[in-house]
Amino acid sequence: MQLSKQQQDAVEHMGTPALVVAGAGSGKTRTLTAKIDYLIGRGYDPERILAITFTNKAAGEMKSRLETLTGMPAARFPWVRTYHSACYRILKKHCACLGYTLPLQIYAGYQQQKMIRDIILGMNFDKKNVPAVMAHISSAKNSGNPLSYFETKARVSGIRLADVFRTYERLLREKNAVDFDNILLKARDLIRDHEPVRREYHDLFQYILVDEYQDSNNLQEELTRLLLADGNLFCVGDDWQAIYGFRGSNVNHFLSFGETYRDGKVFRLEQNYRSADEIVQVANDLIGYNKQKMDKRCFSEKRGGLIELHEFFDETQEARWVCRKIRTLRGMGIPCGKMGVLYRTKFCSLSFEKGFRAANIPYQMMGSKGFFERKEILDINCYLIAAAFPKDDAAFERILNTPKRGIGPGTVKKIGAVRTGDMSLQDAVRKVIRERVMSAKIHTALTGLIGHIDDIREMSPDTAIHAVLSRFDYMAHLRQYAKSNEDYIAREENIKQLIYSAAQHSSILDYLEEATLVNEDREDDDGDEGTGVRLSTIHASKGLEYYVVFIVGCEENLFPHWKSLESSAGLQEERRLMYVAATRAEKHLYMSCAQYRRGQSNPRSRFWDEIEEALDL
């Protein structure tokens, strides 16, 4: 693999921790995979190298590159994983140390939401508070010290967060389950508090590599230090692209690397291989307004970049201009799939969706609802979850009347009334079947449902899905549910993909584990698919690149977002977000603002003024 001198120096450094400060488009992934290849060449065992990525998609791409680079099959790199995937593997192996048994269930967003909603309703509060409570519980866990977190953020709309948290954790424990954030928290507890476990992984991992290090949160940073035995650490990232503070990531771990690892060495990758230098220099000047950053001077050997700023009366005029420009660019031979329209907040897409439809410009929404969050996928997976995990009330309640079998809320309430102790909803149904306390019609429906669930429990996952589709006539239900024939066809295609994915696994448990862990890539879309112009939030565009980028909605209080203006740290993150947006562009970068958006007037973004000043220099 051909590397630049800066990349080569980083790859060949050994003996002390290393941080690679990799500017946008500077070959970060190439450097990371080259490091692993170099380690293998030095005698390191690929099965003892822990390489952390931040999405499953990135882990898959890294394994694919390593296969090409080393000639070894992907199976030789079992620890190229996300934090959650690696920690779940550790947790599953040692769960008995924490009082769990196998199989250990992972609660995805749907089950979490249902459980927390029930807790809040039981406390006589409005269910509209569920998203805020869920977000705080997630932040508390990722802080590494939930109870300390609740001391500073005690209530939401009168709800004591610590009370919800304790009840929620107790119910998870009763169901032998962990939620997504618990995977990291419990793994941390396991490694920190059980020396034999910690020693096992110190002995196992010869080298630890962390991608996108600037996005690590406190808990992930603590896990990295707990797993690190001898200073063999290689971190790669860019603090200029740290844009996930709202999720709990802490860029200070990146900025203080030299203080944390006194003998560590910092390398800088400053050549941008993606964007024209005109774009790179404007982006440099923009980020220069941030005070908290690692200094570097990025450059590109490409020339001919075009940067334009356009101001419009309202969002309709803005969208019409973008449509006209796209038609012009298409006429120049630039395909729609190489153009991206990026915005700070999702509502901004509407005027462009309308404009593109009116102009017959094909487009693709990026970062939309995740595959496993779609109605038809959730329905089918909940049947498999109910078979594998009888204590999962959320999954079982979803399928009780899907498709409709005459079991409404009143019947569910009657079934719930027979529960005692920690009896699950599914066990309560089995009880009412045995005692024949329901009407003949309901009794028959429940008996059939339970019988089929028991039947599919030992099936392979794809066979089980086929059984659900045929035994419950699910496709007829879906046709009735779909808004149009096109909607039905799209959902049918999703189910075909689901069956294909399930067929790659030998057991329902293995399949459900992957489905839950893959669901962490909620904003990670397949940017190479389709031929339309990409419509995307800037957060969802990170890691992607386009020949042409339109950054729209550049108004104060929208970008930077009004919430960020409360602190210097928030404003600096918004500026990093603008930097990320600008550096998605290879050759053409267009920025636009509107005097009126949604009927409200806002001045131009301060970032507009900073970029305009850079262009005038």
Side-chain angles (χ1 to χ4, degrees):
M1 178 187 287
Q2 188 174 357
L3 299 172
S4 69
K5 183 181 185 306
Q6 291 74 23
Q7 291 169 337
Q8 192 77 40
D9 288 345
V11 165
E12 293 181 357
H13 172 77
M14 299 291 288
T16 63
L19 175 65
V20 180
V21 184
S26 64
K28 169 178 68 70
T29 305
R30 169 184 286 260
T31 305
L32 201 57
T33 51
K35 179 69 175 184
I36 296 174
D37 182 47
Y38 180 77
L39 291 172
I40 293 169
R42 290 280 300 262
Y44 286 80
D45 183 347
E47 297 180 18
R48 297 177 64 189
I49 295 172
L50 174 63
I52 293 294
T53 68
F54 266 77
T55 67
N56 292 281
K57 180 181 176 184
E61 289 174 351
M62 187 179 292
K63 286 183 181 180
S64 179
R65 290 194 187 200
L66 287 169
E67 282 185 290
T68 303
L69 202 56
T70 66
M72 296 178 178
R76 292 297 307 278
F77 303 96
W79 289 99
V80 175
R81 293 172 174 263
T82 64
Y83 271 114
H84 287 89
S85 178
C87 286
Y88 184 69
R89 185 172 183 179
I90 293 170
L91 188 60
K92 192 165 63 167
K93 182 177 180 182
H94 304 281
C95 66
C97 294
L98 299 178
Y100 294 100
T101 59
L102 292 176
L104 179 63
Q105 186 180 5
I106 307 170
Y107 265 35
Y110 173 74
Q111 292 118 310
Q112 288 177 261
Q113 188 174 24
K114 175 71 169 59
M115 185 179 283
I116 290 176
R117 185 185 68 190
D118 290 346
I119 294 169
I120 288 175
L121 289 175
M123 296 168 68
N124 294 317
F125 287 101
D126 197 310
K127 64 183 180 183
K128 71 180 182 183
N129 294 301
V130 169
V133 171
M134 283 183 66
H136 276 294
I137 288 176
S138 176
S139 296
K141 291 182 180 183
N142 281 293
S143 74
N145 192 339
L147 296 181
S148 176
Y149 178 95
F150 294 134
E151 288 176 4
T152 58
K153 295 180 177 65
R155 294 176 183 270
V156 168
S157 299
I159 302 170
R160 278 180 53 85
L161 291 168
D163 292 345
V164 179
F165 173 76
R166 290 189 184 95
T167 304
Y168 175 59
E169 290 299 297
R170 176 179 58 78
L171 291 173
L172 282 175
R173 172 71 70 165
E174 287 175 2
K175 296 179 184 302
N176 196 55
V178 291
D179 68 14
F180 210 63
D181 299 310
N182 267 353
I183 293 173
L184 301 189
L185 192 64
K186 299 297 183 184
R188 188 280 309 271
D189 294 347
L190 179 68
I191 299 164
R192 181 193 63 190
D193 302 338
H194 296 264
E195 187 180 350
V197 175
R198 186 167 65 253
R199 197 181 314 119
E200 176 180 337
Y201 291 97
H202 282 179
D203 292 341
L204 174 64
F205 297 134
Q206 295 177 319
Y207 225 98
I208 296 176
L209 302 93
V210 183
D211 191 13
E212 302 288 5
Y213 183 59
Q214 78 280 353
D215 293 331
S216 296
N217 63 34
N218 293 348
L219 186 53
Q220 290 162 341
E221 173 69 7
E222 185 179 357
L223 279 160
T224 301
R225 293 188 201 178
L226 284 169
L227 291 169
L228 184 65
D230 50 13
N232 286 344
L233 178 66
F234 188 82
C235 298
V236 181
D238 183 10
D239 59 301
W240 293 7
Q241 298 185 71
I243 58 173
Y244 293 112
F246 68 97
R247 287 185 184 170
S249 67
N250 186 351
V251 70
N252 290 321
H253 298 308
F254 190 101
L255 297 174
S256 62
F257 186 89
E259 297 171 22
T260 304
Y261 303 100
R262 295 287 182 181
D263 57 344
K265 186 162 183 180
V266 176
F267 298 87
R268 287 172 171 79
L269 305 184
E270 296 174 310
Q271 182 172 355
N272 186 315
Y273 297 96
R274 174 194 303 144
S275 304
D277 194 58
E278 292 83 356
I279 295 171
V280 174
Q281 295 311 319
V282 162
N284 281 345
D285 290 343
L286 170 72
I287 207 69
Y289 285 89
N290 274 5
K291 294 178 181 178
Q292 290 178 290
K293 64 182 184 299
M294 281 199 174
D295 289 330
K296 58 182 180 290
R297 192 68 192 176
C298 296
F299 68 95
S300 173
E301 295 181 352
K302 295 180 179 180
R303 296 291 185 273
L306 175 67
I307 305 158
E308 292 181 2
L309 283 68
H310 296 270
E311 191 168 359
F312 302 97
F313 176 71
D314 62 14
E315 66 265 44
T316 302
Q317 191 182 82
E318 179 186 43
R320 286 173 181 163
W321 180 85
V322 170
C323 289
R324 290 197 300 272
K325 178 58 71 173
I326 287 172
R327 280 200 292 262
T328 301
L329 294 167
R330 287 174 76 182
M332 294 166 56
I334 302 171
C336 284
K338 289 190 175 294
M339 300 186 224
V341 177
L342 310 183
Y343 36 83
R344 173 62 180 84
T345 308
K346 286 182 180 180
F347 81 80
C348 292
S349 72
L350 183 58
S351 58
F352 296 95
E353 291 181 69
K354 289 178 178 178
F356 289 167
R357 283 197 294 266
N360 290 317
I361 293 173
Y363 68 91
Q364 179 183 353
M365 295 294 296
M366 306 294 286
S368 53
K369 183 172 282 192
F371 180 80
F372 289 102
E373 295 172 337
R374 293 164 184 164
K375 178 243 180 336
E376 62 277 11
I377 305 304
L378 262 176
D379 286 348
I380 294 168
N381 276 351
C382 279
Y383 274 95
L384 273 61
I385 291 168
F389 299 102
K391 292 183 178 181
D392 190 327
D393 290 347
F396 187 68
E397 186 171 340
R398 184 182 183 97
I399 65 169
L400 257 178
N401 204 38
T402 304
K404 292 189 183 302
R405 49 179 68 91
I407 304 171
T411 303
V412 175
K413 193 171 181 180
K414 288 179 183 177
I415 294 169
V418 310
R419 297 169 73 172
T420 58
D422 61 354
M423 180 185 289
S424 70
L425 185 60
Q426 189 176 145
D427 284 342
V429 167
R430 294 177 187 275
K431 182 178 180 182
V432 300
I433 290 172
R434 286 194 305 272
E435 296 177 358
R436 304 187 71 89
V437 295
M438 294 291 173
S439 68
K441 181 182 177 182
I442 299 297
H443 179 85
T444 300
L446 292 175
T447 302
L449 174 63
I450 291 295
H452 291 316
I453 286 175
D454 289 342
D455 286 347
I456 68 176
R457 184 169 292 118
E458 301 304 324
M459 293 179 183
S460 64
D462 55 324
T463 304
I465 292 171
H466 280 297
V468 169
L469 297 176
S470 60
R471 296 187 187 192
F472 300 113
D473 202 12
Y474 184 81
M475 298 310 293
H477 160 76
L478 196 61
R479 185 174 288 281
Q480 192 173 18
Y481 176 86
K483 298 172 185 175
S484 64
N485 190 52
E486 290 76 16
D487 183 35
Y488 173 77
I489 291 170
R491 294 177 187 275
E492 185 181 39
E493 289 298 319
N494 289 340
I495 291 174
K496 289 178 181 177
Q497 177 61 39
L498 181 73
I499 293 169
Y500 173 79
S501 176
Q504 312 307 307
H505 300 273
S506 58
S507 74
I508 289 177
L509 286 174
D510 286 346
Y511 160 69
L512 290 175
E513 177 184 323
E514 185 192 68
T516 307
L517 290 171
V518 165
N519 202 32
E520 69 180 298
D521 293 1
R522 284 185 290 272
E523 279 195 339
D524 199 35
D525 210 307
D526 289 325
D528 297 330
E529 292 185 0
T531 57
V533 176
R534 281 16 178 208
L535 280 171
S536 174
T537 64
I538 300 167
H539 284 101
S541 75
K542 189 169 181 290
L544 303 178
E545 56 188 56
Y546 304 99
Y547 194 81
V548 178
V549 166
F550 298 88
I551 308 174
V552 301
C554 298
E555 296 113 39
E556 202 73 3
N557 296 314
L558 177 57
F559 196 11
H561 195 275
W562 61 269
K563 286 185 178 178
S564 72
L565 303 179
E566 298 171 358
S567 69
S568 171
L571 180 59
Q572 289 188 83
E573 179 155 317
E574 290 289 296
R575 190 174 282 110
R576 293 195 293 264
L577 195 58
M578 179 62 85
Y579 174 86
V580 166
T583 54
R584 299 311 93 199
E586 293 181 37
K587 279 281 188 177
H588 296 251
L589 176 62
Y590 302 100
M591 292 178 60
S592 61
C593 68
Q595 295 172 31
Y596 292 91
R597 192 173 302 274
R598 295 196 297 189
Q600 296 179 345
S601 174
N602 280 313
R604 295 184 316 197
S605 168
R606 68 188 71 193
F607 303 149
W608 174 295
D609 295 335
E610 291 165 5
I611 287 175
E612 191 171 52
E613 184 176 333
L615 290 172
D616 290 340
L617 293 177

